[in-house]
Each structure stands twice: as structure tokens, then as C-alpha cells.
Amino acid sequence: MSFEIPVSKIVQGLEPSATLAMSAKAKEIKSNGKTVYDLSVGEPDFITPQHICAAGVEAMKAGFTKYTIASGIPELKKAIAEKYKSDYNLEYNTNQIVVSNGAKHSIHNIFFTTINPNDEVIIPAPYWVSYAELVKLSGGIPVIIPTEESNNFKMTPEQLEKNITPKTKMLLLCSPSNPTGVMYNRNELEAIAEIVIKKNLFVLADEIYDKLVYGNNKFVSFPTLHDKLQERTIIVNGVSKTYAMTGWRIGWTFSPVNIAKKMGELQSQETSNPSSISQYAALAALTGQQNCVTEMLTAFTERRNYVAKRINEIEGLSCPEMNGAFYAFFNIKKHLGKKIGGVLIDNSEKFCLELLTQKQVATVMGSSFGCEGYVRASFAASLDVLKTAYDRIADFIEGK
Ligand code: PMP
Ligand code: GLU
């Protein structure tokens, strides 16, 4: 080859999404005819509820198959605003809402719109795989704050305060958390909010798991904690997790008007509108019956309880109580340094790759979430799949 198109410096340094990479590996093995017990990617195994699919079909038949306003159709923005008003008593106008191609796209829009080169964004670890990479793509510097399992992977107010520098602009909060499933309670959030206000930061509050909360845990939307927070918070949410709509690609933000305006303009140049059909389906999701959400939550609760029990029964594994989302983040440190199936397991990546190769169970290594010595296993899978997967994890660890 005499010529090679050079790859830009910014993309050269980009890490691919580990969750999607593991999921692709699992799919590849499946396509070769092997069964895989796939706990890698975080997506509901349920199909999208029928009334939502029907709204998508209706939209196509009615000719809603054209460009829409780049930042989303007014009816959907209105429904999004009404949902947060009725759920959390937060008031937003439709000009504060931007609908995007999934919550991941919303997060990208936020960083691109608010971060200047070398601005620091505080991200507590373990963190979801895309945050740090998207901050870097925007020219910002992710400042990772490691948390402890003994503190349920929660960042303390002292840790936050200690890591704030004159360059700190934003704090990223994901509660309930992907990957740990842990949720900050009201008091903990209040302590964080106080520092945010005192130090003049703004917050990206990723609330995508707000409806997937278990037992007596109560979800608290960040801006509800103080009347000075709405002006300094950008909320991310979407239909992917709550309504089993990952493939439809609809997410959104609530932000101050000037930020929403710029994000809409950015989107008008980058992607134009998210799929018109998906927007009508999302409208049906938000305005239609919500029993589907309750039914899925009941199933997730049963799975969460089952998985917690299985993990605690397996020699040397532990994980914090899962308050929300659909992930278990378990500690494998007692098994590192061992040989399993003749292979030295010296880190979480090796653990996950060998677990996949030897037992066909797909998980994601903690190192991708900025936390070595742990493994993330989604429990958005049927109880049958979970049962076999955990039998196999136990066998793997016992070297059977
Ligand atoms: N935030 C978190 C915490 C997530 O787990 C996900 C899952 N993909 C997203 C955002 C992005 O969601 P979406 O599929 O809507 O892009
Ligand atoms: N959020 C999901 C996960 O963490 C989906 C995959 C992704 O977007 O990274 O597995």
C-alpha cells in the first residue's frame, strides 16, 4: 500500500465501548451456532411493548417519515416535560428539552456544548464506559475519583471537594449507577449539592435508570434538592431502559435554555432529527399505559434478588446491594492470580475472556469501568439464562 489516510489524533486515542465490544464478541460466538449466556450489554431482554411498536407503525403509515425539527417534535418535548413535572414536580419548558439519538448522543451533545479544552470533568469511578471517552473527545479532561466497595462505591463529599481545582467545570453523577447498581440517598446527594453550589460547578445528572429502582429505595432527581440546582444541572434520560427501547435510539436532555438552544443547533449540523418514527413511538411510551414499566420492574426485581443470592453463595465473590439499574458489579480479587483451565487469571479482562471462552458466559471487565478487580454482569436476562450463567460462573471459579 503506497498511501494510507491518516487517522486524526483525537480518534487515535479513542477507546471503543467495552460493553458493545463484549456484546459483539458474544454475538459472534452465537452466530457460529454456540449458545452464549450473555450478561454483557445492559439492555432489557423484553421486546418493546406492543402499543409502543404500534405507534411506530402508525407513524410510518401516516407519513411521519420526514425530517422533523432537529431537536425533536414539539408533542414529544411536551410529553417529556409533563412526565418530569408529574413524577418529580420539576418544571421545564419545551425550549429546555432536546431529543437526541439515544441518551449517549445526549451526553455527547452536553460535553460538546459546555466543555472547553482542558476543562476538568469530575467522574466518580466505577463509571459507565462512555463518559470519560466522550469528555476527551470534547477536549476536556476527565478527573476520575476512585470510590471504595466498603463505601458502596459512593464518592464522599470530602473526595469531591479535594478534587476540585480552578479548572473543574462539571460533575458527572449517575445514580442509580451503571455499573454498580448503587444509588445515592437524599442526604448523600444533598451533601454533594452543597459543594456543587459552593464551588460553582454544574452537573450532568444521568437519570436513565430513574424507573429501575428496587425495594424501599427512592429515586431523587438531582435538581429537586435545592432551588439553585435547576440552573446548574443538565439531566439526561430516555426511553431505552424504562421501555425496553434500546434500538429505537431516543434520549433527551433538560437544561437551561441557552444550552438547549446550542445543543439543538449542534444537532442540526451533526445528525439532524432523531428518527421521526422513533419519536412517535417514544411519545406513545410516555403518554400510554405505564403497566408495562411496572411489569418489567417486577421481573427485574425478581432477577436482582436471585442474582444477589447467587453471588453471595459463590466462594470469594461479593457485591454491594443493588438499589437500581440492572447490573451486578462483583469483586473477583480473591480469584486473581489463580490458574483456571490452565490459564493464569491476573486481571478482570482475563477473567471475562476466559469465562466467555471456557463457559460461554459473557460479562464485562471492571477495568473498562475504571475499577480493576471487578466484573459487571447484567441481569437484564431471563431467570433461566441467569441460573445457567451463575452455575457456570461457579463452576469456572471452582475450576470444574
Ligand atoms: N447512560 C447510562 C448510564 C447508560 O447505562 C446508558 C446505556 N446505554 C446510556 C446512558 C445510553 O443510553 P442510550 O441507549 O439511550 O444511548
Ligand atoms: N449502557 C449499556 C451498557 O452499559 C449499553 C451499551 C452501551 O451503550 O455502552 O451495557
Side-chain angles (χ1 to χ4, degrees):
M1 209 160 47
S2 60
F3 180 78
E4 194 173 327
I5 300 174
V7 168
S8 73
K9 288 205 179 73
I10 196 140
V11 171
Q12 255 172 32
L14 182 74
E15 289 281 338
S17 162
T19 46
L20 295 183
M22 264 316 226
S23 158
K25 258 195 211 328
K27 287 194 170 91
E28 192 188 313
I29 299 176
K30 273 187 225 168
S31 73
N32 291 331
K34 269 200 163 170
T35 304
V36 176
Y37 301 91
D38 191 358
L39 313 184
S40 64
V41 76
E43 71 175 339
D45 52 317
F46 303 107
I47 51 173
T48 306
Q50 284 308 302
H51 69 283
I52 300 174
C53 296
V57 172
E58 273 314 304
M60 280 191 268
K61 286 187 183 156
F64 297 144
T65 50
K66 304 205 172 346
Y67 293 133
T68 73
I69 296 170
S71 61
I73 56 173
E75 306 90 301
L76 178 55
K77 290 184 187 174
K78 192 163 160 276
I80 291 168
E82 280 168 4
K83 192 93 178 83
Y84 254 58
K85 169 76 184 147
S86 70
D87 288 352
Y88 307 121
N89 201 24
L90 281 170
E91 299 264 6
Y92 285 96
N93 290 322
T94 50
N95 62 358
Q96 296 181 274
I97 294 169
V98 174
V99 183
S100 303
N101 297 282
K104 193 183 280 185
H105 183 205
S106 304
I107 294 167
H108 169 89
N109 282 344
I110 296 170
F111 293 143
F112 250 65
T113 305
T114 60
I115 295 301
N116 282 310
N118 299 323
D119 281 352
E120 292 179 358
V121 178
I122 291 183
I123 307 177
Y127 49 78
W128 177 48
V129 292
S130 295
Y131 296 143
E133 292 308 306
L134 291 177
V135 169
K136 285 191 257 169
L137 265 189
S138 312
I141 301 173
V143 174
I144 308 298
I145 303 190
T147 62
E148 299 297 328
E149 184 183 350
S150 58
N151 195 38
N152 285 329
F153 293 116
K154 292 180 193 180
M155 175 185 66
T156 64
E158 294 74 33
Q159 281 180 306
L160 171 60
E161 197 144 16
K162 222 172 69 197
N163 281 278
I164 295 171
T165 76
K167 290 200 281 178
T168 310
K169 290 283 151 39
M170 182 195 286
L171 165 67
L172 200 149
L173 276 181
C174 178
S175 175
S177 153
N178 177 2
T180 64
V182 161
M183 195 169 75
Y184 289 86
N185 65 33
R186 177 172 284 276
N187 290 344
E188 291 159 344
L189 286 176
E190 274 170 357
I192 290 172
E194 217 172 274
I195 297 170
V196 163
I197 295 167
K198 185 171 82 181
K199 297 289 188 175
N200 220 13
L201 307 183
F202 57 93
V203 172
L204 189 168
D206 188 339
E207 303 194 343
I208 193 117
Y209 295 106
D210 66 333
K211 296 290 169 213
L212 291 168
V213 169
Y214 306 114
N216 294 326
N217 295 291
K218 272 232 159 325
F219 174 78
V220 180
S221 179
F222 192 69
T224 60
L225 292 162
H226 195 289
D227 58 10
K228 287 207 177 108
L229 285 177
Q230 205 165 343
E231 65 194 23
R232 53 178 77 240
T233 303
I234 307 176
I235 295 176
V236 173
N237 210 322
V239 290
S240 295
K241 317 289 174 176
T242 309
Y243 299 99
M245 290 179 71
T246 46
W248 297 80
R249 312 307 305 133
I250 296 290
W252 54 78
T253 46
F254 298 95
S255 70
V257 177
N258 65 323
I259 300 298
K261 182 169 179 295
K262 277 291 162 202
M263 290 198 293
E265 288 169 6
L266 173 67
Q267 204 158 282
S268 79
Q269 290 290 17
E270 277 194 335
T271 59
S272 304
N273 60 280
S275 153
S276 57
I277 300 154
S278 297
Q279 289 189 67
Y280 283 95
L283 177 62
L286 293 176
T287 54
Q289 53 93 346
Q290 301 296 301
N291 300 349
C292 55
V293 178
T294 323
E295 282 161 18
M296 288 190 272
L297 182 65
T298 305
F300 283 131
T301 306
E302 194 182 4
R303 295 159 179 198
R304 170 250 197 190
N305 295 344
Y306 176 75
V307 163
K309 181 172 154 286
R310 291 299 307 264
I311 289 173
N312 286 321
E313 282 167 4
I314 298 173
E315 171 61 28
L317 297 193
S318 63
C319 74
E321 188 181 310
M322 296 161 264
N323 311 132
F326 36 53
Y327 308 101
F329 196 66
F330 55 79
N331 186 329
I332 54 159
K333 288 179 190 167
K334 287 197 180 136
H335 299 291
L336 294 182
K338 283 199 326 206
K339 275 194 168 174
I340 301 181
V343 181
L344 177 67
I345 307 294
D346 50 3
N347 58 38
S348 57
E349 183 173 0
K350 267 276 186 60
F351 185 100
C352 292
L353 290 176
E354 286 306 313
L355 180 62
L356 182 59
T357 311
Q358 297 182 31
K359 297 290 176 195
Q360 292 76 50
V361 177
T363 52
V364 186
M365 46 277 187
S367 51
S368 303
F369 304 95
C371 198
E372 183 48 273
Y374 292 83
V375 166
R376 191 195 79 171
S378 160
F379 55 84
S382 72
L383 273 177
D384 282 349
V385 168
L386 290 171
K387 181 177 181 314
T388 313
Y390 279 90
D391 287 348
R392 286 173 172 238
I393 293 172
D395 286 352
F396 177 70
I397 282 172
E398 288 165 22
K400 283 189 189 160

